[in-house]
C-alpha cells in the first residue's frame, strides 16, 4: 500500500458546466492554459491540479482549465448548494437526483 501517492480527482464531464467560474473573458494567460488555478492563480503541478476540461473562450480560442483542490472544492460546494433551485428532480425528490449525488461524491473526494 502506498500512502504518498496523490490520487488525482476526476471531475465527471456532466458536472463541469455546473461549477461557477471566474470571468473567462478576463482570464490571465497562465490560468487560461491550466498552469495556474483558474480561481486563485495558485501555480499547479500535476499532483495538485484538478482537471476542469477544455472550453471555448469568448475570443474563439480553447481554454484548458485546471483548479487547485481547495478552490475546486469550494466551487463544487457552491454548485451543490445552488443546484436544487435549478433542478426539477430535486423539487420532486432530491434523494433520486443523480446530479446532486455526483456533486456530493465529488466534494467528499476533494476533501481528502
Ligand atoms: Zn485555487
Ligand atoms: Zn437535482
Amino acid at each position: 500500500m502506498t500512502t504518498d501517492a496523490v490520487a488525482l480527482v476526476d471531475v465527471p464531464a456532466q458536472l463541469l458546466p455546473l461549477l461557477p467560474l471566474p470571468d473567462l473573458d478576463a482570464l490571465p494567460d497562465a490560468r487560461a492554459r491550466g498552469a495556474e488555478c483558474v480561481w486563485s492563480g495558485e501555480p499547479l503541478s500535476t499532483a495538485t491540479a484538478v482537471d476542469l476540461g477544455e472550453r471555448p473562450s469568448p475570443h474563439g480560442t480553447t481554454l484548458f482549465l485546471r483548479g487547485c483542490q481547495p478552490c475546486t472544492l469550494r466551487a463544487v460546494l457552491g454548485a451543490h448548494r445552488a443546484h436544487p433551485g435549478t433542478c426539477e428532480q430535486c423539487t420532486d425528490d432530491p434523494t433520486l437526483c443523480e446530479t446532486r449525488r455526483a456533486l456530493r461524491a465529488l466534494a467528499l473526494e476533494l476533501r481528502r
Side-chain angles (χ1 to χ4, degrees), residues 9 31 33 39-40 55-56 60 68 71 85 91 100 103 109:
V9 176
R31 299 193 198 188
R33 57 187 164 83
W39 290 284
S40 63
R55 306 164 193 247
C68 69
C71 287
T91 316
R100 198 180 149 93
L103 283 169
E109 222 178 309

Side-chain angles (χ1 to χ4, degrees), residues 35-110:
E36 296 177 354
C37 168
V38 68
W39 290 284
S40 63
E42 170 102 357
L44 297 170
S45 73
T46 40
T48 58
V50 181
D51 192 349
L52 301 171
E54 294 181 9
R55 306 164 193 247
S57 84
H59 309 291
T61 56
T62 302
L63 303 173
F64 181 72
L65 305 180
R66 300 200 300 175
C68 69
Q69 212 139 317
C71 287
T72 311
L73 175 60
R74 235 184 333 255
V76 170
L77 291 176
H80 185 260
R81 241 190 330 267
H83 169 75
T86 64
C87 177
E88 267 181 52
Q89 179 62 69
C90 281
T91 316
D92 211 30
D93 183 356
T95 59
L96 294 179
C97 180
E98 298 268 336
T99 306
R100 198 180 149 93
R101 198 176 330 171
L103 283 169
R104 217 184 119 68
L106 182 58
L108 288 176
E109 222 178 309
L110 286 162

